[in-house]
Amino acid sequence: MDSLFNSPHLDRLIDLALEEDIGSGDVTTQALVPPELQGEAHIRAKAALVVAGLIVADRVFGKLDAKVVFAALVDDGQEVTPGTVLARLTGPAASILTGERVALNFLQRLSGIATFTRAMAAQVAGSSAVLVDTRKTTPGWRALEKYAVRMGGGSNHRLGLYDEVLVKNNHLTAVGSISEAVRRAKTKAPSRLKIEVEVTDLGGLEEALNAGADRILLDNMDDATLRQAVKVTRGRAFLEASGGITKERLPQVAATGVNFISMGALTHSAPAVDIHLRLIKTWM
């Protein structure tokens, strides 16, 4: 199981979502549905999609009521067709209804990211380029959204500010030069961390290479300049293309020979997909 699902962060996020939705109580369900009523419900895809987040949905219902049994019928990362039943729930009908929206919010959002990522990854299939995400994520949801990217066939860039040195343009304004920034990073940052530098032109690339950067982010360069950057680098550092990356442009960028292509849209612009929950039958 992904380590994310053993993290207390996920439990805090689910608790916050349930508190936000339920508040002082689910007044509709409490008024209409007797606590002894049992039910069976199906979570079904209403569109073609890549599934992500079933374990999160399961955890939502488990927190609400341990008597709800959640049976996933497909796997995260699996492509499904419209009408596919993703999971079957049985147990107290009131608990199923109370947890419905929170569980679907997680599932629809994460499956949307996985679905969008799968479509983008297909654009670079057959090349050596790796499609990666960014830190442009929903606050609090980063680990989940990056998990969904992996389920869609993408890879993760750094998770946060703590696991890689990335010298960006504002850092360079503060420090003064690429060479000085890399020197300070090599001196003061933990030695186990790779050092990446953002550059906007071939002059900056040369300076970053000479300074000993491990990875260089080529920001908003056109395809011809990207190809020249690959030629100049000659494998001395990993190259990442970023900025202005669209679905239509992805194959051309991959063909330039860069090692990575980062795309913030994987998380900040992926639309949620259509998934619903329906109560199929009830009994006392």
Side-chain angles (χ1 to χ4, degrees):
M1 182 183 295
D2 192 287
S3 60
L4 162 66
F5 301 113
N6 295 319
S7 166
H9 173 79
L10 177 59
D11 288 320
R12 292 197 300 271
L13 191 60
I14 292 172
D15 288 341
L16 179 62
L18 288 171
E19 178 185 338
E20 175 184 64
D21 200 38
I22 298 172
S24 61
D26 177 0
V27 293
T28 306
T29 299
Q30 289 171 352
L32 302 180
V33 182
E36 65 271 19
L37 186 70
Q38 302 297 298
E40 176 180 339
H42 292 174
I43 295 177
R44 189 183 302 269
K46 296 185 70 177
L49 54 89
V50 177
V51 182
L54 286 170
I55 300 174
V56 185
D58 184 3
R59 188 79 62 87
V60 169
F61 289 106
K63 278 184 165 289
L64 271 176
D65 190 338
K67 294 178 182 177
V68 175
V69 177
F70 185 102
L73 304 180
V74 299
D75 296 321
D76 275 4
Q78 184 174 333
E79 293 186 26
V80 301
T81 55
T84 300
V85 177
L86 308 181
R88 180 176 61 250
L89 293 84
T90 53
S95 298
I96 293 173
L97 295 176
T98 296
E100 172 186 355
R101 177 43 50 201
V102 170
L104 288 180
N105 282 348
F106 280 110
L107 194 54
Q108 289 177 304
R109 171 67 179 153
L110 297 177
S111 295
I113 291 172
T115 302
F116 185 72
T117 300
R118 184 70 53 88
M120 298 304 106
Q123 295 296 99
V124 301
S127 75
S128 60
V130 177
L131 182 67
V132 299
D133 53 24
T134 71
R135 287 167 47 243
K136 295 176 182 178
T137 54
T138 307
W141 279 61
R142 180 169 297 162
L144 282 175
E145 292 182 346
K146 283 180 173 281
Y147 166 79
V149 166
R150 297 195 300 275
M151 291 302 98
S155 296
N156 298 149
H157 201 294
R158 59 179 182 162
L159 293 176
L161 297 173
Y162 52 85
D163 59 348
E164 181 182 306
V165 175
L166 176 47
V167 181
K168 296 181 70 68
N169 55 5
N170 284 327
H171 296 108
L172 294 176
T173 299
V175 173
S177 73
I178 290 172
S179 299
E180 177 62 14
V182 174
R183 187 194 69 78
R184 292 188 192 181
K186 286 179 176 291
T187 301
K188 298 182 178 181
S191 59
R192 61 184 173 80
L193 298 182
K194 298 296 184 182
I195 298 173
E196 181 171 9
V197 179
E198 177 184 84
V199 304
T200 57
D201 54 35
L202 295 177
L205 171 64
E206 288 278 14
E207 186 177 356
L209 288 169
N210 292 334
D214 301 296
R215 182 163 161 170
I216 301 170
L217 188 154
L218 308 172
D219 184 44
N220 280 295
M221 292 186 182
D222 60 31
D223 296 347
T225 308
L226 290 175
R227 286 192 293 271
Q228 184 63 22
V230 172
K231 183 177 179 180
V232 167
T233 300
R234 301 192 307 278
R236 289 178 287 167
F238 291 106
L239 297 179
E240 174 188 340
S242 183
I245 306 297
T246 63
K247 179 180 180 180
E248 294 72 25
R249 192 182 169 214
L250 273 169
Q252 286 72 46
V253 175
T256 65
V258 295
N259 306 103
F260 301 96
I261 305 172
S262 56
M263 192 174 185
L266 297 182
T267 50
H268 71 59
S269 294
V273 290
D274 197 359
I275 299 172
H276 70 183
L277 181 151
R278 289 291 181 268
L279 198 61
I280 304 302
K281 58 183 178 181
T282 61
W283 61 94
M284 297 293 283

